[in-house]
Amino acid sequence: MAMQQPQEHTGTHEADGDRVTERAGRASGVTGRRALLGAAVLGASAAVLGVPGTATAAGHGTTAGHGGGGLAGLPVPTVIGHRGASGYRPEHTFGSYQLALDMGAHIVEAGDLVPTKDGHLVCRHEPEIGGTTDVADHPEFADRKTTKNLDGVPTTGWFTEDFTLAELKTLRAVERIPDNRPHNTLYNGRWEIPTFEEVLAWQDEQTRKRGRQVWIYPELKHPTCFRAQGIDLEKRVAAVLRRHGKDKKNSPVILQSFEPTSIQRMRRLVDNPLVVLLDAAGTRPYDFVATGDPRTVDDLVTPAGLREIAGYAQGIGPTVDLIIPKDADGNLTKPSTLVSDAHAAGLILHPYTVRNENPFLPPALRKGSDPDAYGDVFRLFQAYFATGIDGIFTDNPDTGLLAREDFLARRGA
């Protein structure tokens, strides 16, 4: 996994706590997880998605449907399954994607898109796959291990662009953060790496089976780095979308990237809804670093910066710390004006990421010291929903949907 340099962005959704792998004495916490998971599987689709009403978030109306109409047809707040239901299954596998839908997620983040050596796109959190697959157990690929510069950071491992698709299909996915999710290691080796083409076909199949439009939310990973290698990630993504007829304004595929210039390129290639991801305050998107643009995220979240983004994108995906900053102890403070400023510019906000486990929660909401135990994540969801965000990424869609139900009930929806 790429580590982040000070004041620069590595484009990995890491600011929300992916790097945390705290080790502590084990305490109870399994019962809460099983109860939530069981409740979700049995009742999320009927009970949570059936919440009636017209609650609003900063003037944005809530709908209960999943039909057409593009972004306007999505429920507010939208619950987005982060890399599927990655709190319960190894991320970016069909097992994770399928469970997110079964739990009732409104959108599945199916696809952090990275290239293969022979021109395909596959779904991995990073192009370096040493931590998310069993590649290290394959002696035939031992000589592929190398060190590359990934967004300015020397990174050692195995990279998707050095493998053909056929070679990648011999690998199997494993849990990326086993210290926090030892229960997910049960599924190590069960699923292969999906391609973007397979995800789009799966989306169509699930839409037919479920009788409602299934939405996905792929991310373009490290496009500037790949462009330096002669790989045009944007053109590859656009070509696949066009082949599947999913390059339209109301297509149920929202595209996102941490690099604003990548989103601008996608705007010229397709008509899909587009979202600019925003890392921590003070960091610089890597495309800005590469081109000498001195601006940071702080500049992008000003009213003027947001108006500029609104000229080529429909939304932003900020780290949750830009919505409600944390104090020196890591606890929530007063919400920023980002939600109201973004809405004033006509942008939606889908911040990332809420997770149930203690290490990913503010200290005041943790329960015990077990890094695998759940804290009071419902209070955290309520705090973010109350700011008026349009949706949120979560590794635990069942928890997010229950929290959404609570939020709408309290608002009288």
Side-chain angles (χ1 to χ4, degrees):
M1 182 189 313
M3 296 299 290
Q4 182 177 348
Q5 289 183 329
Q7 304 304 309
E8 294 184 3
H9 160 66
T10 60
T12 57
H13 272 213
E14 298 293 359
D16 56 341
D18 278 1
R19 296 191 185 94
V20 180
T21 54
E22 292 183 5
R23 294 179 181 271
R26 296 289 176 183
S28 63
V30 176
T31 302
R33 176 183 303 107
R34 288 174 177 166
L36 284 170
L37 181 58
V41 172
L42 291 174
S45 297
V48 178
L49 296 183
V51 175
T54 56
T56 60
H60 292 236
T62 298
T63 82
H66 292 265
L71 291 177
L74 290 170
V76 177
T78 308
V79 175
I80 305 157
H82 187 230
R83 308 173 199 159
S86 54
Y88 310 110
R89 301 288 188 272
E91 65 191 29
H92 286 313
T93 61
F94 279 117
S96 184
Y97 298 159
Q98 189 72 34
L99 183 57
L101 281 187
D102 290 344
M103 287 179 165
H106 302 131
I107 306 177
V108 179
E109 190 193 28
D112 283 341
L113 303 179
V114 292
T116 70
K117 185 177 181 178
D118 52 346
H120 297 277
L121 293 168
V122 294
C123 304
R124 288 290 85 193
H125 173 47
E126 287 291 324
E128 197 292 298
I129 55 175
T132 61
T133 74
D134 61 358
V135 64
D137 298 329
H138 286 250
E140 68 272 26
F141 298 136
D143 61 350
R144 306 284 178 93
K145 189 174 185 179
T146 187
T147 298
K148 296 190 178 188
N149 189 301
L150 190 62
D151 283 7
V153 180
T155 305
T156 299
W158 292 263
F159 295 81
T160 59
E161 65 268 27
D162 297 332
F163 291 77
T164 66
L165 178 59
E167 290 172 331
L168 288 173
K169 284 295 188 180
T170 68
L171 307 180
R172 292 297 179 267
V174 300
E175 172 55 38
R176 186 177 58 84
I177 48 173
D179 289 335
N180 301 108
R181 292 169 179 168
H183 52 286
N184 279 11
T185 64
L186 171 66
Y187 306 101
N188 284 355
R190 191 174 186 89
W191 292 290
E192 63 183 30
I193 298 174
T195 69
F196 189 35
E197 298 258 14
E198 289 168 345
V199 164
L200 293 174
W202 168 84
Q203 178 187 26
D204 291 340
E205 177 189 25
Q206 292 300 312
T207 295
R208 289 191 298 270
K209 286 183 176 180
R210 296 170 188 271
R212 67 170 178 88
Q213 179 61 63
V214 169
W215 282 71
I216 61 172
Y217 212 137
E219 176 187 344
L220 283 72
K221 304 293 292 193
H222 307 289
T224 293
C225 280
F226 287 123
R227 190 170 298 107
Q229 298 180 46
I231 300 171
D232 193 321
L233 198 63
E234 291 91 353
K235 285 186 177 179
R236 285 196 188 185
V237 172
V240 173
L241 289 172
R242 283 195 293 269
R243 265 199 309 275
H244 287 258
K246 295 182 180 181
D247 59 333
K248 309 299 191 295
K249 177 181 178 181
N250 289 336
S251 294
V253 181
I254 306 171
L255 300 173
Q256 56 180 333
S257 176
F258 277 99
E259 297 187 12
T261 58
S262 181
I263 292 299
Q264 292 170 18
R265 288 186 175 92
M266 292 308 302
R267 177 76 291 155
R268 295 190 289 270
L269 294 170
V270 297
D271 291 325
N272 295 72
L274 302 173
V275 169
V276 175
L277 295 166
L278 299 171
D279 208 333
T283 60
R284 292 170 68 194
Y286 186 69
D287 54 335
F288 287 11
V289 174
T291 59
D293 189 328
R295 290 179 297 167
T296 71
V297 166
D298 295 352
D299 299 298
L300 297 179
V301 298
T302 64
L306 293 167
R307 287 194 297 272
E308 179 183 332
I309 291 173
Y312 58 86
Q314 285 68 50
I316 56 173
T319 173
V320 289
D321 289 353
L322 292 175
I323 302 295
I324 307 180
K326 294 185 175 75
D327 62 21
D329 295 323
N331 289 309
L332 300 183
T333 62
K334 180 181 178 181
S336 71
T337 63
L338 181 56
V339 174
S340 58
D341 291 344
H343 283 161
L347 295 166
I348 63 169
L349 299 93
H350 289 160
Y352 65 93
T353 306
V354 176
R355 298 176 167 94
N356 289 359
E357 295 92 356
N358 274 324
F360 306 113
L361 300 176
L365 299 182
R366 297 174 187 172
K367 294 183 179 180
S369 58
D370 188 340
D372 182 39
Y374 289 176
D376 190 358
V377 70
F378 286 112
R379 283 177 58 194
L380 188 62
F381 273 112
Q382 296 309 314
Y384 292 134
F385 286 154
T387 66
I389 58 173
D390 300 277
I392 197 158
F393 286 82
T394 177
D395 289 10
N396 308 88
D398 56 336
T399 314
L401 287 161
L402 290 170
R404 178 183 187 271
E405 182 179 12
D406 293 344
F407 173 73
L408 294 179
R410 289 169 184 167
R411 287 294 180 94

